[in-house]
Amino acid sequence: MKNVVPPLIPPPSRLSGFRSLAARAGLDWFLLALLAMIGLAYLWPKPGIQEGPFSLSSLAGYGVSLIFFFYGLRLSLEKLRVGLSNWRLHLTVHLTTFVLFPLLILAARSLFADDPADPLWLGAFYMAALPSTVSSSVVMVSIAGGNLPAAIFNASISSLIGVFLTPVWMGLVLAAGSGDYDLGSIIGKLALQVIAPVILGMLLNRWGGAFAERHKKALRYFDQTVILLIVYTSFCESFSRRMFQNLSLEDFLVLSACMLGLFFLVFGMVLLISRLMGFSREDRITALFCGSKKSLVQGSVMVNVLFPGTIAGIALLPIMIYHGLQLIAASILAQAMARAAPQPPKGGV
């Protein structure tokens, strides 16, 4: 009788272990892809600066409109009506997003160069004026055990409010730096590129909403691909004009430390405000994660409308840094909150 050699069962690969560790830390392929796009723009900027109806920058613009069309397709009017009732929570989130953040960066103005048109300063203020994220805020609230319907409502409304308030905030600093800022024209462009597709999607929600929900994972990959394209083309323009030549490694590290410090400062302030207002644990979690996040999607959408092409890349740098750091920090905090959540009594109903 022949000896049968049992099949070898390979041990878990180091790669799988690394992926698991990276996932727990909030890292994913998208953050690495963002860095790769910056490197590609540095090494090969020519494709990103070409113009035309089928250029990469034009394709990115078309992709933005599709992102917001599918976003509207998943947003029903019924969800909006239900979400309006918890007004104290909504007010906390949006005042944090659109008032507290910009005021904190204005207070830290002395940390940057004295020039009011300094691109790095403008980028930091731009990050502070942006709306909250949609997908990652909802995911973190879900992990931590917060008020998920309120998170969906606040994240969704924040994106729509940002189309109007972000240009208003930027108008205050851009007009002071250059005196040339047409707010009406900018809001008009954003309304055409963002609001109109969202409204069209919402009107078609009755027929296409289920389709969008079934394919939301594929749509998320589409969103990320468009963002990568925007980042690539923006940095191509900045690298070709040598906009980063005066930015040292020390500047980058200081900016990163400031962005991480800003996240924890806002997180702590929202936690204090939520407790003073007597929020439930679920509402407090929603306020924390929706109020402390900033949207790279919206930042990528608006950057080429609000800024000249020459500084678009460097203006994106603070929100890109904040985006990566907020994902890591928020993921760690959300999982810690999930572990600390009160457990139902055993054998209870």
Side-chain angles (χ1 to χ4, degrees), residues 16 45 48 51 123 177 182 189 234-235 238 253 255 275 297 324:
S16 298
E51 298 181 356
D182 187 351
K189 290 179 182 177
S234 298
F235 275 84
S238 295
L253 294 177
L255 180 62
R275 286 176 172 169
V297 174

Side-chain angles (χ1 to χ4, degrees), residues 74-233:
R74 295 174 57 195
L75 185 62
S76 67
L77 294 175
E78 183 60 29
K79 287 181 181 178
L80 294 180
R81 283 195 293 267
V82 171
L84 285 173
S85 59
N86 199 348
W87 64 270
R88 291 198 310 153
L89 173 59
H90 308 329
L91 196 62
T92 300
V93 169
H94 298 305
L95 286 178
T96 301
T97 301
F98 294 111
V99 178
L100 179 60
F101 262 104
L103 290 180
L104 287 174
I105 293 295
L106 281 174
R109 178 71 182 85
S110 60
L111 298 176
F112 295 84
D114 294 332
D115 181 9
D118 173 56
L120 205 56
W121 149 246
L122 292 176
F125 189 80
Y126 177 54
M127 179 279 303
L130 287 169
S132 179
T133 61
V134 177
S135 58
S136 64
S137 292
V138 173
V139 168
M140 297 306 170
V141 169
S142 176
I143 291 173
N147 186 335
L148 195 56
I152 295 171
F153 175 83
N154 278 288
S156 302
I157 294 301
S158 183
S159 294
L160 301 180
I161 295 174
V163 174
F164 300 99
L165 286 189
T166 301
V168 170
W169 268 118
M170 292 311 301
L172 297 178
V173 296
L174 289 174
S178 65
D180 182 19
Y181 187 81
D182 187 351
L183 178 61
S185 174
I186 287 172
I187 290 181
K189 290 179 182 177
L190 291 172
L192 183 64
Q193 190 174 30
V194 175
I195 295 295
V198 168
I199 293 175
L200 179 60
M202 290 176 65
L203 292 175
L204 297 176
N205 170 267
R206 179 179 175 183
W207 298 277
F211 170 84
E213 285 294 333
R214 284 197 307 271
H215 297 87
K216 60 183 179 181
K217 186 175 181 180
L219 292 176
R220 185 186 177 201
Y221 286 134
F222 174 75
D223 296 353
Q224 292 172 328
T225 301
V226 173
I227 294 172
L228 292 175
L229 188 56
I230 293 172
V231 168
Y232 172 70
T233 55

